[in-house]
Each structure stands twice: as C-alpha cells, then as structure tokens.
Amino acid sequence: MPAAVEFRSVSRHFGPTTAPIKAVDGVDLTIAEGAFFAMLGPSGSGKTTCLRLISGFESPTAGEICIFGENVSNTPPHLRNVNTVFQDYALFPHMNVRDNVAYGLMVKGMARAQRYAKAEEMLALVHLDAYGSRKPGQLSGGQRQRVALARALVNEPKVLLLDEPLGALDLKLREAMQDELKSLQKRLGITFVFVTHDQHEALSMADSLAVFNEGKIAQIGTPAEIYAQPKTRFVADFVGSSNVLPPALTQSLGGPAKWSSLRPETLHLDPAGPLQGTVTSLRYLGSGHRIAITTQGQDIAAILPTGTELPEPGQQIRLSFPANALHIMDQA
Amino acid sequence: MTAILPAKSLADRLTTLFWRKPNLLLALLITPPLLWLGVIYLGSLAALLLQSFYSIDEFSGMVVREFTLKTYGELLRPQNYDIILRTLLMSAAVTLGSAILAFPIAYYAARYAKGRWKAVFYLGIMLPLWSSYLVKVYAWKLILAKEGILTWAATQTHTNFVLDAALALPGIGGNSLSTSYIGMFLVFTYVWLPYMILPMQAALERVPTSMLEASQDLGATKAQTFRTVILPLAMPGIIAGSIFTFSLTMGDYIIPQIVGNSANFIGMAVYQLQGTAGNTPLAAAFAVIPIVIMLIYLSLAKRAGAFDAL
Ligand SMILES: Nc1ncnc2c1ncn2[C@@H]1O[C@H](COP(=O)(O)OP(=O)(O)O)[C@@H](O)[C@H]1O
Ligand SMILES: [Mg+2]
C-alpha cells in the first residue's frame, strides 16, 4: 500500500540561486495512510511551505512529491484530492456558513439540494447545526475554525492539511478542539497532516511527528521516541525544554564524552546526588515548582512535585536522577 | 511636602480635559466639516430640489414660486425624454466599458505589482488626472478627427475597413470618430477611467490571497474562483467606481459639446436652460434625474447582494 504522502529529497528555495532562502531543504518524508502526522518546529522552520508543497500552492525546486503513490509535480491544487484548513480560516465573507461548507461540492457541479444536505451533515459533525444561515463574520473564532474544518471535510479528501488550526484560540477552547480533532480523525480515518509550533499539541495529538529546523527535518518518529530519545540538541531543547548537557558535563556524570539530554522532571533532590549547583531561580508552575541551578557554568532545570521541601535561591543543593534518564545523543 | 505630579500648564490642562471627555475633541473637530456638509452641501441640494418644483411663466419668463409637478411633466416631452435616454445609455456604456477595461489593470496592480511597479502604476493612473480636462478632450478631438492620427494609423496598417465598419454602424457611427457616439464613448471612457480603477484596486487589494487559495483548494478552477469569489468581493469597489463614472458622465456638459454630433445631453441641457433660456426650474428638474437614477441603481445593486462583502 503506497504512503499517503511521500517526499523524496524535496527542496523549496526562494530568492536568487546565488543566495537562496532554503525554506525546505532536502526533506525525505513518508506519511502513512490514516495517520495523524504532526509537523513541529519553530516559526520560519519551513512547516507551512511543506504543507503548501502538498496542497500544490508551491512547487518543489528539487525532488518529487507523491500522494498515494502518484507523482503530483504537474497536478494543480484544484485537481489534488487534498484539502486545507487555513491558518486564518479563509472563509468566504460574502457567503453564509452553509454556502461556505457546500462550496467544494458546488464547484464540482453537485445539485443544490444534495450539496446542502451534505453541508448540513458536516455542520452537525462539528456541532454547528443551527448556524448554517449565519455569515462567517457573525461567528466566534472557535466556530469559524469548525466551519473551516467542515468546509474541507465535506469534500472527503484523502489527506487533510491543517496549518496551525488552533493557533488563534484561547487555551480552554484549544484543548477542547484538540480532543475533538483527534476523535474526528479516528472516526473518519482520513490522513491528517497537522502543523504546529506547540510541542505539547504535537506530542499529545500525533501518531508520528517530524521536528523541523531551518528547512530540514531534525528528527522523525513517534511522540514517545522524540520525547525520550531526542537525536539532536535542537530536538531535546525544543521538544519539552530538556536540559542539554555538553560532553564534559555528561562525562562527569558517568556518561561518554558526548552531548546528552536530561528531562527536568526526572531530577529530584538528593544530598548524595551527582549534580551539585547553586539555586538561581524558583518558579511556581501550579502542578509543581521549577528550580534552576548552575553547575559548571551550565543552567540545569528541575521540576519538583508539590510537597517537596523547597530550597532557597543562593543555596547549594544536589540533585540526582535515575540511571536511564541521561539520554546520550548521537549528533551534536 | 512636594507635589508628586508636576504643575500643570495650560496645554496640559487642555489635553487632560480632552482625555477625560473624548467626545468634546471629536465634536470640536467634526463640527466645521459637518456644517459644511449639512448647510452648504446638502442645503444647496435642497434648494435645487425646491427649484424643480417651481415652474416658469411662459409669457414673462419669470419663475413662479408655487409648488407644481408641471416642470417634471415637461421632462416627458419627446425632445427632453430623448436627452435623458441618450445620456442614460451613454453613461451605462461608459460605465460598462470602464469596468471591463479597469478590471485587469486593477487586478494586476492589486495582486502582482510590487515596489517600483506599484509606483509606476499609480503614476500612470494619476498622471492624466493632473493635466487639464479641456486639454485632454481637445487632444482627443484631434486624435479622433478625420485627418487625425487614428485614421492615419489605420491607413498605414491597411485596417481602414475596421474604422469604416465602425463608423458605418447605424446610430452610433458617423462621418468621423470625432463626430460620432463611438468617439464620445472613447473620450468619456478615457477621462473617467482612473475613477473606476482606483476603487476597484482598493477593493481587490483587500481580498486576502488565502481566500483565492481556499477556493482553488476546494476544487474551483480559475474561472470559478473569479466568478464566485473575486468578483463578489470586488463588487463594492466596482459599484463605487461605477458611481463615479456613471454620475460624472451624466453630469458632463463639455465632452458632448466638443466630441460627437452635437446631440443634446443632460449636462448641456442644464447649462443652456439655466443660462441662456433662464428656465431654472426645468434645469433643476433635469439635474434631479441623475440623482434619482443613482438612487435606483444603488438600491438595485444592494438588492442583488453587491454589498454582501462589506
Ligand atoms: N514566498 C516566499 N518568498 C520568500 N521566502 C519565503 C516565502 N515563503 C516562505 N519563505 C521563507 O521560508 C522560510 C520558512 O517559512 P514557513 O514555511 O512559512 O515557516 P513556518 O511555517 O515553519 O513558520 C521562512 O524563512 C520564510 O521567510
Ligand atoms: Mg507557518
């Protein structure tokens, strides 16, 4: 069975060839059918460009892209069986919600009664049954987001692309939508490609994810792999703000002379611990406290559960961690 | 004890007052222009309207200041009715012609022109507006004349037959372009085109690229995107532009005098009636027509959903 989406050494460079902006640079990627795939990375790392390469609004400057085994290099966006939920939703302001949702069916020539019935079905799916006659301008951000989702899904795409779809929503709504998106994806079995810069979102929603850095994929794997075994310093730092230890420090903790990562939540206070340092800050997180210590010129963060007796800033303390918590990275 | 806040100057006191009562500043700023708009602008319009309900005494030539609909009745006389119809048709044609010409230009300027090219675009649109209207019209008369450059160019390229065919058209043709309705249409379209392009371009510029991409993403071809997304979203700008071209053509009294077959137009009629003939009421009644037509036009446009995108 072919992969839903496949990138073969795909690059998309902008600007002059002498000094190109390498938005996407030599990306190899395979997204399995039915997967919830996340693209995670800081702003400007090339996530949106990757998505636009799939939808057809950008063409690769090198490499090729296949959708369900078919090379789509010469297929314009309107002929690809792929739909997008845009970052700004891009709802048509002059049409009501029902016409917005039915738009894809309308341009394909479906009769009015039939397409309206389908649109209403989709609106029910996103809990907006009663809103068909409203204009997008009369909806809240979360409702608009659902309309955008329904408008894309009504076309029964093989792949749904979502570009930071929850970015504009407040925290509570975002969490509700995360659950809803996830269960919707499970139910419909459509391949989702989900772009986000929020590592929690990516880790909690995706079946597998790619971490982007400067147009390249830094690591690709399941959330558990990415979280527990970051391959590079960048991944360790970006996904879950791990402590990144230089080779000398790794060695002093009994490891090889390589870069390593150490999760803040694996550290605990221990008078006999191997990590000694001065407490520089103390921050209340709600679920616990985050303390930072300096050791050998390196800042190390630890998350202590509520109930722990807390040290004072300036105090010398020692920390220890389980033997398997120190993760040695292959690459710098 | 020293004061925490520094002593207030008069200016500080004033700005504090405006800060505490923001409406006061607004009122001060807006009253003069409102007075201008209300009294001078709308007031004179009301006076015009009033005039149109008076009539003229046919023997003395004096204005009778009594309410009557007689003057409006006169508009229905065949020669007056012809003037109205002629002006209306010309205005509609000029508006349509301008819209068709302006759209690609405005679209290019809004979507593709960047930096220097944008400046070139604005200059290109505005430059003709900076020169005298009369100079432009006379220049066009020369261009369109029988001995003018257009005829010459047609002769050189052996395309006289096109010109001749156009001039042979019944009703709108004529002896030469400069004495035909076709010529008048060309001149009107030329002088009012910027007024169509600019609002159109402003409307198109407000259409986000993602809207067009969304349409394509949902399977629409370019033509479908144009018809169902771009055109409706640009409609308020097109209507704004057409208000300009339509009403400017309806009220113009110079171009029909210089170009064309000296058939009468509303603007010319108003000019003659209130000048030489001294029939101010009929002139006022004529002047009311463009207003009424514009109101009908706008309400039809609104009914058709032209302002849905606003
Ligand atoms: N059309 C374009 N022209 C020039 N540079 C672009 C264009 N689109 C994207 N870029 C550049 O490519 C890089 C990646 O952009 P993008 O894919 O939008 O990143 P992300 O979505 O991860 O924030 C950025 O540096 C951006 O400035
Ligand atoms: Mg982006």
Side-chain angles (χ1 to χ4, degrees):
Chain A
M1 190 178 63
V5 179
E6 195 177 348
F7 277 44
R8 295 196 196 114
S9 333
V10 170
S11 295
R12 177 61 171 109
H13 295 181
F14 291 104
T17 41
T18 45
I21 302 168
K22 299 179 175 175
V24 174
D25 196 26
V27 164
D28 281 297
L29 188 68
T30 304
I31 302 174
E33 182 172 6
F36 197 120
F37 188 88
M39 292 180 174
L40 174 66
S43 171
S45 59
K47 309 178 298 289
T48 297
T49 308
C50 261
L51 220 55
R52 292 170 62 80
L53 284 164
I54 302 175
S55 56
F57 293 114
E58 298 285 355
S59 320
T61 38
E64 57 184 45
I65 297 168
C66 294
I67 299 178
F68 285 91
E70 188 191 339
N71 189 334
V72 291
S73 303
N74 293 318
T75 313
H78 71 277
L79 297 179
R80 298 188 182 194
N81 208 342
V82 164
N83 287 116
T84 309
V85 174
F86 286 83
Q87 194 163 3
D88 61 355
Y89 312 143
L91 299 178
F92 306 125
H94 56 295
M95 298 179 196
N96 65 21
V97 166
R98 189 180 305 108
D99 281 319
N100 262 285
V101 175
Y103 187 82
L105 305 174
M106 192 262 290
V107 296
K108 284 182 199 80
M110 188 184 280
R112 181 184 298 249
Q114 211 177 339
R115 65 174 193 258
Y116 277 180
K118 284 213 169 208
E120 288 298 344
E121 217 174 283
M122 273 302 142
L123 283 172
L125 191 70
V126 297
H127 313 299
L128 285 175
D129 331 38
Y131 291 82
S133 308
R134 295 225 196 155
K135 286 283 178 72
Q138 300 167 308
L139 301 181
S140 71
Q143 290 168 334
R144 265 180 243 176
Q145 215 267 312
R146 286 155 197 265
V147 176
L149 194 61
R151 185 178 68 171
L153 286 175
V154 79
N155 305 290
E156 298 172 10
K158 290 193 152 177
V159 181
L160 184 72
L161 310 174
L162 304 105
D163 193 356
E164 312 221 5
L166 311 179
L169 308 182
D170 59 57
L171 184 64
K172 216 169 146 91
L173 199 55
R174 193 156 70 217
E175 284 173 349
M177 274 310 285
Q178 285 173 1
D179 291 340
E180 211 167 305
L181 270 180
K182 183 74 190 163
S183 72
L184 205 59
Q185 191 266 337
K186 273 219 184 89
R187 197 141 40 105
L188 300 172
I190 295 173
T191 311
F192 274 35
V193 182
F194 186 96
V195 162
T196 179
H197 63 258
D198 179 339
Q199 64 268 30
H200 300 295
E201 204 164 88
L203 290 174
S204 66
M205 297 178 78
D207 304 324
S208 66
L209 68 138
V211 183
F212 279 76
N213 186 26
E214 296 180 341
K216 293 192 168 69
I217 292 186
Q219 190 172 353
I220 192 161
T222 65
E225 280 167 5
I226 302 259
Y227 189 78
Q229 294 146 29
K231 268 197 196 153
T232 68
R233 272 192 281 162
F234 172 80
V235 177
D237 184 45
F238 188 73
V239 182
S241 11
S242 210
N243 294 304
V244 177
L245 313 182
L249 191 54
T250 311
Q251 220 167 6
S252 76
L253 294 174
K258 283 194 166 180
W259 287 86
S260 65
S261 75
L262 197 54
R263 299 252 151 236
E265 65 275 15
T266 60
L267 292 161
H268 54 89
L269 289 171
D270 180 356
L275 260 174
Q276 188 193 14
T278 317
V279 177
T280 53
S281 76
L282 197 67
R283 204 141 58 85
Y284 181 57
L285 295 179
S287 55
H289 282 82
R290 182 190 174 87
I291 65 167
I293 66 167
T294 316
T295 175
Q296 297 179 26
Q298 186 74 25
D299 285 325
I300 306 279
I303 291 174
L304 305 177
T306 326
T308 321
E309 194 164 323
L310 294 170
E312 297 279 314
Q315 203 180 328
Q316 285 277 324
I317 58 162
R318 280 178 172 277
L319 295 167
S320 76
F321 51 89
N324 62 359
L326 188 69
H327 171 71
I328 312 297
M329 292 184 284
D330 306 328
Q331 294 161 260
Chain B
M1 200 180 83
T2 52
I4 296 170
L5 297 172
K8 281 188 187 168
S9 69
L10 183 65
D12 288 339
R13 256 176 250 238
L14 211 58
T15 50
T16 309
L17 179 68
F18 287 148
W19 175 72
R20 288 181 48 216
K21 296 193 185 329
N23 285 338
L24 181 67
L25 182 61
L26 185 66
L28 280 179
L29 286 173
I30 210 169
T31 307
L34 266 187
L35 276 178
W36 168 268
L37 187 73
V39 177
I40 300 178
Y41 210 75
L42 293 177
S44 55
L45 204 63
L48 176 80
L49 209 63
L50 197 65
Q51 279 284 333
S52 67
F53 289 108
Y54 294 157
S55 60
I56 197 147
D57 187 292
E58 279 178 35
F59 297 108
S60 63
M62 297 292 285
V63 174
V64 184
R65 293 176 178 273
E66 270 167 34
F67 180 88
T68 170
L69 288 175
K70 196 177 109 203
T71 311
Y72 279 103
E74 269 182 56
L75 287 178
L76 295 175
R77 279 196 203 159
Q79 86 258 31
N80 289 341
Y81 182 73
D82 275 355
I83 294 175
I84 296 169
L85 197 66
R86 188 178 300 130
T87 312
L88 189 63
L89 285 176
M90 179 56 79
S91 305
V94 169
T95 300
L96 202 67
S98 307
I100 290 169
L101 263 180
F103 197 91
I105 301 174
Y107 191 78
Y108 168 78
R111 289 252 149 249
Y112 299 103
K114 296 263 148 46
R116 179 196 296 264
W117 285 110
K118 198 138 216 166
V120 168
F121 160 79
Y122 276 115
L123 216 62
I125 302 299
M126 304 296 251
L127 210 58
L129 289 179
W130 297 344
S131 64
S132 155
Y133 166 86
L134 267 180
V135 169
K136 285 185 288 186
V137 177
Y138 274 113
W140 268 97
K141 189 177 174 67
L142 293 181
I143 292 171
L144 298 174
K146 210 175 183 67
E147 313 77 26
I149 190 165
L150 258 180
T151 315
W152 177 81
T155 314
Q156 293 298 313
T157 54
H158 306 289
T159 49
N160 281 46
F161 64 95
V162 180
L163 201 59
D164 291 340
L167 289 177
L169 288 171
I172 57 171
N175 212 358
S176 74
L177 279 176
S178 65
T179 56
S180 68
Y181 284 125
I182 297 178
M184 196 191 291
F185 167 81
L186 288 175
V187 179
F188 267 130
T189 307
Y190 170 80
V191 295
W192 305 143
L193 192 62
Y195 297 95
M196 181 63 97
I197 294 178
L198 291 174
M200 247 188 204
Q201 187 245 0
L204 284 168
E205 211 145 78
R206 281 183 18 210
V207 179
T209 316
S210 68
M211 211 76 82
L212 309 185
E213 290 184 347
S215 161
Q216 276 187 73
D217 186 84
L218 294 164
T221 61
K222 295 257 182 224
Q224 285 172 321
T225 304
F226 176 79
R227 218 181 51 239
T228 56
V229 179
I230 300 175
L231 204 57
L233 290 179
M235 207 36 105
I238 298 176
I239 298 288
S242 64
I243 291 173
F244 285 127
T245 55
F246 205 89
S247 54
L248 284 169
T249 310
M250 289 213 84
D252 194 84
Y253 66 102
I254 292 178
I255 290 173
Q257 279 183 62
I258 299 173
V259 186
N261 59 3
S262 42
N264 224 341
F265 278 71
I266 288 182
M268 280 163 76
V270 171
Y271 182 69
Q272 291 154 4
L273 282 170
Q274 70 95 44
T276 37
N279 191 344
T280 325
L282 189 56
F286 261 118
V288 167
I289 290 169
I291 300 174
V292 173
I293 290 176
M294 286 320 288
L295 288 177
I296 295 171
Y297 173 62
L298 283 182
S299 63
L300 285 180
K302 183 165 166 26
R303 179 112 28 110
F307 303 111
D308 285 4
L310 282 184

